[in-house]
Each structure stands twice: as C-alpha cells, then as structure tokens.
Amino acid sequence: MRVLGLLARVLVILWVVSTLVFLMLHLVPGDPVAVMLGESATAADQAALRHHLGLDQPLWQQYLHYLGGLLHGDMGQSLFLQRPVADLIAARFPYTAELALLALAVAVLLAFPLGIWAAVRAGRWPDQLAMTLSLIGVSIPNFWLGPMLILLFSLWLGWLPVSGADAPWAWVLPAVTLGTALAAILTRMLRASLLEVLHEEYVRTALAKGASPRRVVLRHALFNALLPVVTVLGLQLGTLLGGAVITEVVFDWPGLGQLLVESIQRRDYPVVQGVILVIATAYVVVNAFTDWLYGWLDPRVRRP
Amino acid sequence: MNAPFPRRTLLAAGCGLPLLGCSARTPLPQNHFRLGVSGRPRSLDPRRATDALSSRLNRLLYEAPVDFNARFEPVPALMDWQQTAPLRWVFALRKSTRFHDGTPLTAEDVAATYASVLDPATASPHRGGLKHVQRVRALDGQRVQFDLTHVDALFPGRLTIGVLPRRLMKAGHDFNRQPLGSGPCRFVDANEQRTRLQRPDGALLEFIKVKDPLVQVLKLRKGELDWIQGGLSPELVRYCAARPELAVQWHRGTNFAYIGFNFRDSWLSQQPIREAIALGIDRAAIVQALFDNHARLAGALLPPEHWAGLKNWSGYPYDPGRARALLESAIGQGQRLSLSYKTSANPLRLRLAAIYQSMLREIGIDLTIQSYDWGTFYADIKAGRFQLYSLAWVGIKSPDIFQYVFHSQAVPPAGANRGHYANPEVDRLIEAALAAQMFAEQQRLYGQLQRVLAETVAQVPLWYEDQYAVLHRSVSGYTLAADGRYDGVLTMRRVQHG
C-alpha cells in the first residue's frame, strides 16, 4: 500500500512539474529555430523547420503530444542535437550520480570527524576551529574554490588533472569543491544535534555504568543525533542529483546541470523538460528513501 | 568528558584521503594534439551545420566544390566552373578524389549532396542560399550542371557545402554521428566531451570541450591542452601573452561589430541624433584600452580587403563637440536625451555597454543598459523591441548580405533588417548589384551602396576584432586565418625544448 501511495504521489508531482515546465518554457521569449538556423536562414527555411519540429502547432496540441509521449515513456527528440532526449540524459546522468555520491562521501568524511570533535570538545579550541572551518566552507563560493583547487593541486603540485571526466582521478577536485560546502553545513548540524543528545539522561547513565566515551558517542548518541543530519543529507543529495551547474562548468564535468543550462540557452524544450522531470523524480525518490531511513534510525517514527 | 578519539584518527579521516594515490602528469604524446573548444559541434553533417565550430570541423572532414581566397573571391577547391549560359553553371571535378571509405567521389555525389540540401525534407538551413537553383544534375562522372531561375553572378560562392557520398545518403546514414567525407581528416569518434579526428599523417586531433575560459587557460598552462582559439577575455589574453610557456598568435579578423538603431523610434529616425551617437563614441580609445589595439576600426560591414569592400573609410571620427552640437540641434539647447541599449549578458559586451554609456553621457545622452540572456535578447532584437543594440556579423563572405540587412523588404522574418531601415536609393542599388552580371559593375554598385549607408548612418560600424590563438610552447606550425578556420591544425607539430 505504501509503495502504491508513493507511486501515486510521484506521478502527481511529475505531472504538475512537467506541465509547469512546459508552459513556462513556451512562454519565455526565445525561438529554438532561430538559434538552430542562425542569422542567414530565410523565413521559408525557418517556417519549414518549425513545421518539421512540430513547433507550428497550437500550444495545447504540443502539450498533448508531449504528455502522450511521456505516457509511452518517450521524452521526445532534442530539437538541437536531433537525438532522443532519453539517450542524452542516459549519457549524462551517470556522471551526475557519480559526482553527487562522491561529493556526499567527501562531505561525510569531512563533516563527521569535525562535527563529533567539535561536539565532544564543545566550547574549547577544537570546537572553535571546527566551527571556523565550517563557516569558511559555507562562505567560499564554488566558482572561486574550484579554480583555487585547480591552481594548487593541478598546476603547482601537478597531482591531479585540471578538468574533464576521462582521467582516472578527475573526480577528486569537483567532488572536493562540492563536498566542502556540504561538509560545512553538515558539521554544524551534526555538532548541534550531538550536543543536544549528549546532555540526555541516558548518555549520562551509560557513562556512569562504565561504558567507554567512544562507545557512548558512537553507539548511543550518534545514532540519535542523526535524524536532522539525514534530513539535510537527503536534501543535499537531491540537489546534487539535479546537477551542480557551476562546479560542472568549472571542471567540465558532463553532468545534467550543464545539459540543462545549455538546453535552456538554446531553447531546446524537450531536453529541458526531460532533465527537469529526471531531477524531480530524483528528489521524490531521495525523499522517500530519507523517510524510510528515518524509520530505520528511529523506530518511534515508523508508521503503524 | 575526555577525548574519545585520538586526534590523528580524526585528522586522517577528515583530510587528505581523497588525494591518496593521485598520479603525476603524463608525458605529452608526439602525434596527439589536444585542442580546446568551448562547446561541442552542433552538427558534423555539413548540410545542417550553422555554428562556427561545426563549420570549421566540417572543413577538415569534407571537401567543398568552392572555397574563398583572402579577398573573399570564390576560388576552385574540389571543382572548376564555367557559366555556359546566363542561367546555367557547369562545375567539373579538378582531380580524382576518394571518400575515407575508399569509394571514389564523383559528380553524382556532388549533385546528390546539393539536391539533398534543396530537398525540404532535409530541413537544411542552407537551402535559402541556393534558392535560385531550379535543377541540379550530374552530366557525367566529372561534371555537374546547375540551372537557375534568376541571374546570380555570385553563384559559385554558394557551393561551399562539403560533399557527401550519395550511396550513404540514400541509405539514410547519420553523418552527424558518423561523418564520412573526403577532407584532409578522418573522423575517429566523438562523445559529450571530445571529438577526435585523424590527420593524413596519422596524428590524432582531439577537440576537447572546455567551457570556462579560465579553465581553458589553466589546462593550457598545465599542458592538458596544446591550443585554444578565441573566446577569452582581454585580461586572460594578456595573461597568456605574459606566460613563458604560452604563445599568442594574432591575425587580422573580419567579424564586424556594430551598433544598430531602431528607425521607427521618433528620436533615432533623425539622422543628426544617429550621427551624434556615431561621433560620440571614441572607438580608437576602446580598441586601445580593451583590445590592446588588436582590432581594426570598421567603416562598413565588409572589410576593406573584401573585393566589394569600401576602401579608405573607417567610420565616423570621435568628435564630442560636433556630436553635442548635432544633438542639441535635434532636441534643443541644454536638453538631454534618454535612450535604452540592449545587449547580451556576456561580460565583455556589458563592459562595452558601460563604456558607451559613459561616453554618450558626455554629449548629452543618458543610456539605460538592458542586458538579457542570449535567447531573450535575440528574440527582442528580431521583434524590433529595442532603441539601440549591439551585435556582430560573423563569417560574412558574400555581399548579398546587404540585401538581407538593409533592403526595406528584409524586415524580420523575411531578413535581418531589424531596425526597419528604409531607403529607396539603397533598395535600388541592392537590386542593381544583384542583377549585375559583370564583376566590376557589382564592385562599383556595392561601393556606392556602402557610401550611402555610411552617409545616412544606417548603423554605427565599430571594429573588426582580430583573431587570436594561444599555443603551448610544445607545439608550433599553426597558422591563423582571418575567418578563424582551423585549417592550421593540419600543419601543427610538436617541438622539443631543451
């Protein structure tokens, strides 16, 4: 029943999103035919191409055609590249997923030690250092951090490639760039949540009964402090799966974000619609997964 | 509470782990050139390509019947030609040529390529350029005949689309994904990030998409790229010129930048106001400050070296005193004029807009800058929703551009007369030039036409920006061309530095 409910929710959200995107895209000024044919095409050529692409049909007919295609699992054909939208997304999504997961891994690797360190040493220099670092992490924009990391690790040290996704270690710099900002938020969230839990009675009881501080923090306090952290992680993963445009541009990472921005610029309606549908689906799925994770972490939030 | 974790454990977990095992820089291969481009080609099918990158790559993959020389005159490439009647042109293959799959290139292939462009089902953007072709057919294995509906002295210059094999076109081959021509380079493969071609000497040319100009330069410095051409900000070009491991090459360019007017506007329809704007912008100072003198002041759409170009005229000089006097004669003593100026969101274009704003303020014009993303900006310009705007004409070779831009019947969507410029004298000269059969007569008429356009300030010609390429010092042998074509990569070679 829960799966059916989720499926119904997903379908309604996707329908609303696809309709809104369709209408907004067609209402924004700009003509894909003009972008495709360039300056020198005659009016007759433009009209012929517009007819060829079905862009001369009334908006409601184009909408029905689009919706009909979606119901048959067909997201249409790119106006610009003349390739199926599904193929374009299938080529880009693995890159986006890879970068999202790696960035999240970097964020977790940075945030958990720092957050825990700050919480257990609250009010002392490690706490202040961790919080200062996280404040810097939140404040540095990716379009600055990315080139700085390239200068340091690619040009001066020569350890990593500048950009691209083909070289074996090409993922490191974009993942660190994205992960740093995420880590900063996670660190602060984890510290605050852990501090609250560390003052609970059961923590004091466990310590009084002789449990080691490491065991108390990792086994008892951390699990109970994870709920808000998981919420943020879920939101961050959803955002990352939508493509991190700036980071993708700086590092030439061929992900969904770049595809989306390029398609908006050239008014490639089917591709924009397809990519946004995928992003919306990713959000819904990640949210559902987060809900499930809540229940696993804290049996009190499980539904009867 | 005592510290539950040793500090070293935390530090090791938090920092440095992602960088373990990173490899050092790999040595540069001798027969592999990595060339940075800002996007991916839209189409490697020459019948459908419109963007500069596709056209430049298609020149390497396919051979076209006709090319242009430095004066923009059509010259034989794959074929010679002869006008056998006023409405008939016969083109003949100059040499025996083969496609990359080994099959011979024949007149049948040429005829089939151009018939395909003319077929509405192909939806080729180049169909309009061949609108006077009534029929195309192969006379034998060597000769192709084109029958026209109208006299067209510029016709040979329209056959610049690369030739495709007829057999594959009939089979519905996807040339965009698997290009197959007879050009100097073979197609190897392509993906989202790169397009690879092979030179006749076996060297690999890898065109790598690097969108961000700053990253292009960083990759060039690191040796991950060997070459980039155009697209950098003036500061980045200066930076490259100062780096010992990089070299900047320059070549006179032909891309024409201009400011356009809306002639339906009550102020801009007045010639003194347009002239005041032309006189009030110090183009020489802009070229010096922003482009380090790597641009030529322009007087007309076609550069002076063009066979139909206007010689000895580089536009209105900077004269703020006269500009102010002209403006006051039109709007009244002590009055100021408010105008809006539309431009794209490109940082360089925005900076230029701010400079125009500052210069025109001095002569009594308050310019409001409106900047939009390209799609919105271009749609507004085409729809005539502007007072002033700036754009550039890129890669113009044929003088029939004047009909497209200045004829009173060429307002969008019929043409690109976006400002609704209407001048019976200009219409007459354009029509006479198009109908002229003699080259010298055309040259005279186009010269006269451009003088009228300059006298009536149909637009403010700004400059022709120079072409430039930045090369890593490990490569040499590249030669730039005025139109930015990439043919120079065919002679690029790797050099050893001690």
Side-chain angles (χ1 to χ4, degrees):
Chain A
M1 263 327 266
R2 287 186 66 186
V3 175
L4 282 179
L6 175 69
L7 203 64
R9 239 176 29 229
V10 169
L11 288 176
V12 170
I13 291 170
L14 292 185
W15 174 69
V16 171
V17 168
S18 56
T19 305
L20 281 177
V21 169
F22 179 89
L23 291 175
M24 283 162 75
L25 269 178
H26 284 79
L27 293 176
V28 167
D31 179 8
V33 170
V35 178
M36 285 166 78
L37 293 188
E39 293 268 21
S40 57
T42 64
D45 289 341
Q46 293 193 6
L49 184 62
R50 200 165 277 118
H51 178 71
H52 181 74
L53 298 171
L55 295 171
D56 57 345
Q57 293 173 356
L59 200 58
W60 65 268
Q61 262 185 28
Q62 291 185 48
Y63 177 67
L64 286 182
H65 181 73
Y66 163 63
L67 220 53
L70 277 187
L71 289 175
H72 289 90
D74 177 13
M75 288 197 268
Q77 185 100 348
S78 160
L79 302 177
F80 194 77
L81 299 169
Q82 292 296 304
R83 285 175 59 190
V85 173
D87 285 5
L88 291 172
I89 293 174
R92 302 285 191 120
F93 189 73
Y95 287 104
T96 293
E98 182 191 347
L99 184 59
L101 293 174
L102 288 167
L104 218 57
V106 169
V108 168
L109 276 175
L110 289 171
F112 273 66
L114 274 177
I116 295 168
W117 197 32
V120 297
R121 304 275 185 122
R124 283 180 279 172
W125 71 265
D127 182 23
Q128 283 157 4
L129 178 68
M131 288 306 96
T132 308
L133 284 178
S134 72
L135 194 64
I136 293 170
V138 175
S139 316
I140 295 178
N142 287 352
F143 63 80
W144 185 83
L145 181 63
M148 288 302 118
L149 290 177
I150 292 174
L151 279 175
L152 178 62
F153 291 105
S154 302
L155 285 181
W156 294 340
L157 298 173
W159 291 355
L160 295 162
V162 173
S163 69
D166 289 340
W169 294 94
W171 57 269
V172 175
L173 291 185
V176 170
T177 304
L178 274 178
T180 311
L182 304 184
I185 300 164
L186 275 183
T187 305
R188 299 181 85 84
M189 183 65 79
L190 185 62
R191 175 192 174 272
S193 179
L194 203 54
L195 267 180
E196 204 173 300
V197 172
L198 285 174
H199 289 101
E200 296 279 346
E201 287 293 330
Y202 67 86
V203 172
R204 212 168 298 150
T205 310
L207 284 170
K209 284 171 78 177
S212 75
R214 180 187 299 221
R215 184 180 166 78
V216 169
V217 171
L218 287 185
R219 288 285 303 157
H220 303 285
L222 188 58
F223 261 70
N224 285 300
L226 276 183
L227 273 190
V229 177
V230 166
T231 309
V232 174
L233 268 176
L235 289 172
Q236 288 179 337
L237 183 61
T239 309
L240 288 173
L241 286 175
V245 178
I246 294 171
T247 309
E248 285 180 7
V249 168
V250 169
F251 291 100
D252 285 306
W253 194 263
L256 279 184
Q258 273 211 57
L259 181 65
L260 179 62
V261 171
E262 285 166 6
S263 306
I264 289 172
Q265 283 169 350
R266 55 199 182 208
R267 304 293 190 264
D268 198 341
Y269 303 137
V271 180
V272 178
Q273 287 157 189
V275 172
I276 289 184
L277 267 189
V278 169
I279 291 171
T281 310
Y283 258 107
V284 174
V285 170
V286 168
N287 260 319
F289 179 71
T290 312
D291 280 350
W292 172 81
L293 207 60
Y294 282 166
W296 181 74
L297 283 169
D298 186 350
R300 288 171 300 179
V301 297
R302 276 183 209 157
R303 285 181 193 167
Chain B
M1 188 186 292
N2 290 327
F5 304 100
R7 278 176 207 162
R8 271 172 300 173
T9 316
L10 287 167
L11 283 172
C15 321
L17 274 182
L19 301 179
L20 288 179
C22 297
S23 56
R25 162 198 319 207
T26 48
L28 293 169
Q30 288 298 306
N31 57 351
H32 182 176
F33 298 97
R34 287 166 296 189
L35 314 160
V37 288
S38 61
R40 58 175 287 174
R42 283 185 203 173
S43 179
L44 294 179
D45 181 339
R47 296 168 299 173
R48 298 193 169 91
T50 52
D51 60 306
L53 176 59
S54 303
S55 307
R56 290 164 182 176
L57 292 187
N58 284 336
R59 277 184 64 82
L60 301 173
L61 288 165
Y62 304 92
E63 280 181 291
V66 176
D67 201 356
F68 290 96
N69 66 13
R71 290 191 68 224
F72 298 89
E73 293 159 330
V75 289
L78 194 59
M79 305 182 101
D80 272 317
W81 65 83
Q82 203 181 358
Q83 188 173 16
T84 56
L87 297 176
R88 177 163 292 168
W89 294 78
V90 175
F91 287 73
L93 288 169
R94 299 172 70 207
K95 55 180 181 171
S96 150
T97 307
R98 287 183 180 275
F99 288 110
H100 297 141
D101 63 354
T103 56
L105 188 156
T106 66
E108 297 277 358
D109 297 307
V110 179
T113 300
Y114 283 89
S116 164
V117 172
L118 289 166
D119 183 354
T122 309
S124 168
H126 304 296
R127 190 164 156 248
L130 298 169
K131 63 186 173 194
H132 295 328
V133 177
Q134 187 182 43
R135 190 172 65 150
V136 50
R137 67 190 177 105
L139 298 175
D140 50 42
Q142 296 294 306
R143 293 180 306 145
V144 183
Q145 180 177 298
F146 289 86
D147 293 315
L148 309 187
T149 54
H150 292 72
V151 171
D152 185 1
L154 304 174
F155 183 70
R158 305 192 195 286
L159 299 196
T160 52
I161 300 166
V163 176
L164 309 170
R166 185 173 76 116
R167 180 177 55 84
L168 292 181
M169 277 189 283
K170 275 178 80 175
H173 181 80
D174 186 349
F175 287 94
N176 183 27
R177 287 199 192 184
Q178 279 296 322
L180 195 144
S182 61
C185 293
R186 277 169 190 272
F187 175 77
V188 178
D189 57 19
N191 63 21
E192 293 294 326
Q193 293 202 292
R194 58 171 166 73
T195 302
R196 297 196 302 170
L197 312 182
Q198 192 178 35
R199 270 190 348 199
D201 63 357
L204 198 63
L205 301 173
E206 185 173 6
F207 291 89
I208 301 171
K209 178 185 162 190
V210 184
K211 205 172 171 64
D212 189 73
L214 175 65
V215 180
Q216 284 185 348
V217 171
L218 294 177
K219 279 178 93 73
L220 205 56
R221 273 195 60 191
K222 171 116 192 283
E224 287 179 24
L225 289 178
D226 296 309
W227 164 100
I228 51 178
Q229 186 172 302
L232 304 181
S233 67
E235 288 77 18
L236 276 177
V237 180
R238 262 176 237 141
Y239 172 83
C240 290
R243 300 294 316 176
E245 71 271 34
L246 305 178
V248 182
Q249 269 188 25
W250 293 95
H251 194 288
R252 205 168 60 174
T254 57
N255 295 343
F256 169 72
Y258 67 95
I259 293 176
F261 301 112
N262 191 338
F263 286 83
R264 289 181 302 178
D265 182 87
S266 58
W267 293 116
L268 294 168
S269 61
Q270 300 177 37
Q271 181 159 337
I273 294 180
R274 296 197 304 274
E275 208 170 320
I277 292 170
L279 290 163
I281 294 175
D282 189 353
R283 296 174 302 146
I286 296 172
V287 164
Q288 190 189 9
L290 212 55
F291 300 108
D292 285 339
N293 283 324
H294 286 298
R296 286 181 289 165
L297 295 188
L301 200 158
L302 297 177
E305 65 271 22
H306 194 287
W307 65 265
L310 193 60
K311 316 287 185 278
N312 308 319
W313 169 247
S314 58
Y316 283 82
Y318 177 54
D319 189 343
R322 202 169 140 231
R324 207 173 298 115
L326 277 169
L327 190 72
E328 286 183 346
S329 73
I331 64 169
Q333 194 83 27
Q335 299 294 306
R336 295 186 69 81
L337 178 64
S338 292
L339 292 172
S340 72
Y341 172 90
K342 281 195 177 174
T343 186
S344 69
N346 178 306
L348 179 62
R349 304 299 146 201
L350 275 171
R351 208 185 308 174
L352 281 167
I355 295 172
Y356 303 148
Q357 187 182 47
S358 163
M359 288 177 170
L360 293 179
R361 190 181 299 127
E362 298 300 311
I363 64 160
I365 295 176
D366 295 317
L367 211 58
T368 309
I369 300 169
Q370 296 174 307
S371 116
Y372 302 94
D373 84 287
W374 173 255
T376 310
F377 167 64
Y378 192 47
D380 276 2
I381 300 306
K382 285 184 70 171
R385 290 190 291 267
F386 62 85
Q387 280 187 304
L388 295 165
Y389 73 97
S390 183
L391 268 175
W393 284 105
V394 176
I396 300 301
K397 293 191 167 70
S398 174
D400 55 5
I401 183 74
F402 290 114
Q403 184 206 14
Y404 189 64
V405 178
F406 295 111
H407 197 284
S408 59
Q409 300 298 311
V411 293
N417 185 353
R418 295 141 184 165
H420 292 251
Y421 176 79
N423 183 337
E425 173 70 355
V426 164
D427 287 357
R428 188 189 65 75
L429 286 166
I430 288 172
E431 285 156 20
L434 287 173
Q437 293 199 37
M438 301 304 292
F439 191 76
E441 176 66 357
Q442 278 197 329
Q443 202 169 21
R444 187 186 66 77
L445 288 165
Y446 280 123
Q448 208 177 327
L449 166 67
Q450 288 170 92
R451 276 189 289 278
V452 176
L453 291 173
E455 282 160 15
T456 54
V457 203
Q459 56 188 190
V460 181
L462 295 171
W463 44 70
Y464 311 104
E465 271 178 53
D466 287 357
Q467 298 280 355
Y468 60 86
V470 187
L471 286 94
H472 194 270
R473 65 170 182 162
S474 65
V475 293
S476 70
Y478 182 75
T479 37
L480 260 171
D483 63 359
R485 60 180 66 170
Y486 292 164
D487 296 15
V489 297
L490 295 170
T491 51
M492 192 181 263
R493 60 183 182 277
R494 186 79 60 197
V495 289
Q496 298 294 336
H497 290 272

